[in-house]
Structure formats: C-alpha cells, structure tokens
Amino acid sequence: MKSKLSIRSHFDYLFEQISLFCDEIQAADIAQAIYFKLPAVEKKDETSAPENIPVEKLTEDAALSHCVKSFKDLFLDKKESGKVLTRHPGLILVNDPKGEIRNRLVEINLAKDAFKELVLEIANNDARFEAVHSAVPGLVTLAAYRKIHFEHTVPYSVRFTWMTKHSTKTLSKKAALDILQRSSQYTNPRAIDQNNWQSIVEQERLRVSSLSSSAKLRIRRPTRVSPEVNVRFSAKNRYHVSGALPFILLNPQKETKIGELKNYIREDTDPRKKEYNYLIERIYLEKINE
C-alpha cells in the first residue's frame, strides 16, 4: 500500500507546478484568451445526459481569470455535484519565445502522470479512495489526472466541438439475463401498468435466451457530452483532445483560424441507433459479431 506521505508529496509537487504555471501565465504576453463558461451540474442531474447546454463566451481579462482558476479546480469544495467533473473549455494564445511556459507544461503533465501511476498502483477501488482522500482531503482525483493540452507549432485552425461519448461494457448471456431479471422487478412509470412492463421485459428476456450460451454481448450506453478541441494542420494531419481544461497555443500566428464552442443541442435521433443493431434498444444491448 502506498503511504499517505508518498501520495501527499506527489500531489504537493504537482500543485506547486500548477501554481507556478498560473503565476507565469498571468505575467506572460497573452495574445488572446477565451473561456466558454458552462452551467454547473446539479446533483439531481448527475446521472442524466442533458438535452442542451448553453455556453457563455468570456474574453480578455475575465476569460484569463477563469482559465487560470480552472487549472487549480481540483477539489470538491462546495460543488453541487461531486460525480460530474467541471469542464473548463477555453483557449489561451500566449507568446513564449524562450520556451519557459512550454517546459512548465511538460513538467506539469509528467507530474500528473506520476501521480496517477502512483494512485493506480493501489488495485482495490475502496482502498484507493481511502488512501487518496486521507492524504489529500476533498481532492477530485480525476481532475488531478487530466492534462493541460498545448501546441507549440502553427496549426491551420483550433476549433471546438461537442464530443458524444458512450460507456462500453461486455457481458455474458447470463449477466444480461440477470440484468433483465432485476428490471422486471422495477416500477416503470412509462409503462401503462406493472403487468405490461413485466411483459415487455419478458419479451426481451426471451430474445436473449434464444442466443447461444457462448454469445458475446455488449452494452453501449450514452453518457454526457463533453467539449473537445480539434487541432488541424491539413485535411489529413489533425488531432483532437479533451476540452475539459483550456487549450494553450504557444507563439500564435495570425493565420491560425480560431473557432468557438457553440451551445449544445441534442439531436432528436441518436446516430448510434442507426449505426448499431441493438438487441434490446432500451438498455443499448447488442450482440458482438465474431
């Protein structure tokens, strides 16, 4: 078991590097700062995917202030939700002729990797949670893990979009039947009555029962959308990274096109339901073709 002192010392070094970076970025030659403020996630909405997300664009000093604060947003504090990480999409264009900010960012991301590696050496989830929160009370561990992405060359464009993610879980035929058995015991307000609900679940159960015992199944469940940064150099040379923290563009040039994060509005149709042939659409269960 990793000691409380070891976890604390790794975190203290990480936080020191982040603090130094925040001081340096505030004193640096900032060409442009943009911050896309998202609404806070309330506790009642932790497990649901939003229909829409309004975005408030901040610029100049207000944007830089929010960006700087976001890098230190590692603790639960008084947040309404502790399960959904606060996203801080934004962009800082900063001149870094000596490469000092770049070096600091490299060191921060190395420190994040070292801290994550140390924590994940604790195999048991409960033991890991206890160890981390005993060493660093109130820490949102995943927030400490997420890197600060940056680019030091000259891209054609830096744009923002919303990325639709989904969680994937493989399971056996027996595990799927167990899920359906538990479902039959639930009260479903969308059904006309409980008997009809149980009839629906029974039809689903028969569908799964007809599969061979060796059938491989998978649940592809939609999760909350998250902001993404798309960096493009050419049609074939491009990449995308998480927009959970502000993106840093070092030594920006005027020819780079800068985009904005628009309001998110979920489409009426789920494109995955067209792409995948679900065995049970209600729970996003599909059969894996071998």
Side-chain angles (χ1 to χ4, degrees):
M1 174 85 53
K2 297 299 173 183
S3 70
K4 176 179 177 180
L5 178 61
S6 178
I7 293 174
R8 182 75 211 194
S9 63
H10 272 72
F11 176 78
D12 285 346
Y13 179 74
L14 168 59
F15 197 76
E16 177 188 26
Q17 293 301 308
I18 293 173
S19 298
L20 288 170
F21 167 69
C22 289
D23 292 340
E24 290 164 355
I25 203 76
Q26 287 179 295
D29 179 13
I30 304 295
Q32 187 179 4
I34 309 171
Y35 181 83
F36 302 107
K37 189 176 182 181
L38 307 181
V41 178
E42 298 182 6
K43 195 170 185 63
K44 64 181 178 63
D45 298 324
E46 286 179 337
T47 58
S48 61
E51 299 285 338
N52 58 78
I53 302 175
V55 178
E56 178 186 356
K57 179 184 176 183
L58 303 179
T59 59
E60 300 179 343
D61 290 346
L64 183 61
S65 176
H66 276 77
C67 286
V68 169
K69 289 178 182 176
S70 73
F71 298 121
K72 294 183 178 180
D73 184 20
L74 308 178
F75 297 93
L76 185 58
D77 295 329
K78 297 180 180 179
K79 290 186 177 67
E80 178 70 18
S81 171
K83 292 184 178 180
V84 180
L85 286 178
T86 303
R87 267 71 173 182
H88 299 284
L91 178 64
I92 300 176
L93 283 66
V94 55
N95 293 307
D96 182 38
K98 296 182 179 180
E100 295 171 344
I101 292 175
R102 180 185 176 186
N103 291 340
R104 182 73 66 192
L105 288 168
V106 169
E107 186 62 24
I108 287 172
N109 288 334
L110 286 173
K112 284 176 173 286
D113 283 340
F115 180 72
K116 181 178 181 179
E117 183 178 338
L118 179 73
V119 171
L120 293 181
E121 285 181 9
I122 306 172
N124 181 274
N125 287 340
D126 292 337
R128 186 188 306 149
F129 181 89
E130 177 60 31
V132 171
H133 294 282
S134 174
V136 192
L139 178 68
V140 181
T141 314
L142 292 178
Y145 293 167
R146 59 189 181 188
K147 294 185 178 182
I148 303 175
H149 295 288
F150 65 93
E151 181 56 61
H152 65 279
T153 60
V154 185
Y156 170 78
S157 64
V158 178
R159 304 186 189 278
F160 295 82
T161 188
W162 290 100
M163 178 170 56
T164 303
K165 291 185 175 181
H166 56 275
S167 62
T168 303
K169 177 184 178 182
T170 56
L171 66 165
S172 65
K173 172 183 174 181
K174 181 180 182 303
L177 289 172
D178 288 343
I179 291 174
L180 294 175
Q181 176 59 33
R182 291 194 295 272
S183 292
S184 68
Q185 300 169 8
Y186 299 157
T187 299
N188 192 314
R190 292 175 297 177
I192 299 173
D193 55 40
Q194 191 62 12
N195 287 335
N196 279 353
W197 168 241
Q198 290 177 346
S199 176
I200 291 171
V201 176
E202 177 61 19
Q203 291 174 24
E204 295 172 344
R205 193 187 69 79
L206 290 173
R207 208 174 303 154
V208 174
S209 297
S210 66
L211 301 174
S212 68
S213 58
S214 61
K216 294 182 179 180
L217 302 172
R218 174 172 58 194
I219 290 178
R220 300 173 61 91
R221 189 181 303 279
T223 60
R224 300 182 66 87
V225 295
S226 58
E228 178 181 85
V229 181
N230 297 312
V231 182
R232 178 184 175 186
F233 295 91
S234 66
K236 294 183 178 180
N237 184 10
R238 62 176 71 191
Y239 68 87
H240 58 85
V241 292
S242 167
L245 287 177
F247 187 85
I248 312 295
L249 183 59
L250 302 170
N251 301 315
Q253 301 299 313
K254 291 183 178 179
E255 59 262 34
T256 298
K257 301 181 184 300
I258 303 300
E260 297 185 5
L261 183 67
K262 303 296 185 181
N263 295 341
Y264 169 73
I265 301 175
R266 190 171 73 177
E267 297 180 0
D268 291 337
T269 57
D270 185 341
R272 284 190 315 249
K273 288 185 178 179
K274 294 180 180 179
E275 182 180 354
Y276 296 101
N277 183 22
Y278 285 102
L279 188 66
I280 300 178
E281 200 169 279
R282 176 178 63 85
I283 60 173
Y284 295 86
L285 179 70
E286 61 180 350
K287 184 177 181 293
I288 303 175
N289 294 323
E290 299 184 50

